[in-house]
Each structure stands twice: as structure tokens, then as C-alpha cells.
Amino acid sequence: MKVCEIFKSIEGEGLRTGLAAVFVRLHGCNLRCSYCDSMYAVEGSDYTQMNVGEILAAVESHRLKSGVDCVTLTGGEPLIHEGIEDLLTKFSEEGFKVNVETNGTVPCKWRLPGLFYTMDWKCKSSGMSSKMKLQNMQTLCNGDVLKFVVGSTEDLQEAESVVAQLSESPKHQPSSMPHIFISPVYGTIPNEQIVEWMLNSKTMTQNNARFQVQLHKIVWDPDRRGV
């Protein structure tokens, strides 16, 4: 697999915000989002070829040094890589708690102990909205996350529509909906506008949507790698 970087930091968003985790960033993506903040993991040759055993050993070394057993698998897009099922299985067998960050183009078909998914719905401002499929969101379970990164009023309306459709599907009754998170495109839409919209949206409040910012961009320089 093409590995861009492996590092220890805190989770910047989602269910484990603020918790220590080891990040495994794979190189390569099937989308080109307008606001991507990790293009070094999408294009170019900034990666090292590693097999599953080598990745596992690198992550295990962090656990031995500091006791961190949370892993975040990110990219790029991790689920397009050959061998990803084997890597996820090994992480699960070794007792790691794995968050797979995925861009919404691949269904979540592997269900393993300790594993959950954080899936994006790419709204219009990303330039990739046409690549989204509601059926991929329907593979999420109540322990997973559905995330919307928004940069405009139009994006907010799109997010609301998707959540409404998902909540009305036979599979996703209130008790089985994924966790819903709304994030701003960094430096664009005001936080206050998003929060006011959420508070006034029956769809979002009934489905327990949560507002979030990227914590790691507050703690460190927003352009810094490896955090």
C-alpha cells in the first residue's frame, strides 16, 4: 500500500474529538475536492510502499510506547486500496479501535470488532456532489458518522435534504441513524450561520446533528502536517 504518513496526534473531529490516536494516511484518492487540505496524499509521489505487516508494526510501536490503541485510517481515500480488508482485519484482531475516514464513494461493507466509519457527503461547494450516492450512506449504522463539510447556504440545504431522505428510509429509523456532524469549510461560512441554521432545522435537531470545527487546526497551524 502507498502510505503517506503514520503519526500520533489527537482526533480533530467526530466521535473521538480530543482523544489520542495513531493516524495512518494512505496515498491516493478517487475525488478532487475543492477544499482538500491534504493534496499531498492525493497527487504526486510523497509516499512509501508498505505491506500490511509493516503498517501494523509501525502502529503497534506507538501503542507500546504510549498505550494508544485508537487508530484513524484516512487519506486520500483508504477504501480504494488493494489489501484494505486484510489491514482492517489485522487491526481488529490486534484489539485496535479503528475509525475509517471515507469520502462517500465506497459502501461500508466490512463490519469488524472495534471498527466504525466516518463517511463524508460531499456537498456542492466541494465540486464532487455528483459523485455521491445515497445508497452508500445507507450502509452506515448507528455507531458510524455521517459528516457534511459546508461552505454555503446551498450546502446547508443539501445536507438537510440528505439527512431527511436517510431518516425516512426503512433501515434508518431514529434508533439506527448514524451520528450526524456538520463542519465548515475552513475559513468560509461563519460558524454562527451554521449553528443558527441547525437550531432552526427540525430535520437536523430531530436527528441529533452536531456542529464541529477541526480541533487540530485550532491547536496547531492550520497548514501543518503530521498533527
Side-chain angles (χ1 to χ4, degrees), residues 114-189:
L115 172 69
F116 73 94
Y117 294 91
T118 298
M119 179 179 282
D120 280 315
W121 177 279
K122 303 296 186 182
C123 294
K124 187 173 182 178
S125 66
S126 72
M128 295 289 115
S129 183
S130 64
K131 306 293 185 181
M132 296 294 100
K133 297 178 181 179
L134 190 66
Q135 55 263 44
N136 288 344
M137 312 300 129
Q138 291 171 335
T139 64
L140 296 171
C141 297
N142 62 351
D144 298 320
V145 171
L146 176 57
K147 184 180 71 174
F148 298 88
V149 179
V150 296
S152 67
T153 300
E154 193 171 14
D155 286 355
L156 296 176
Q157 294 168 344
E158 183 177 351
E160 186 173 45
S161 174
V162 171
V163 172
Q165 292 178 69
L166 195 61
S167 66
E168 292 166 2
S169 69
K171 177 183 175 182
H172 288 113
Q173 299 307 307
S175 62
S176 59
M177 282 285 287
H179 301 276
I180 308 296
F181 282 85
I182 312 293
S183 307
V185 177
Y186 187 78
T188 58
I189 189 170

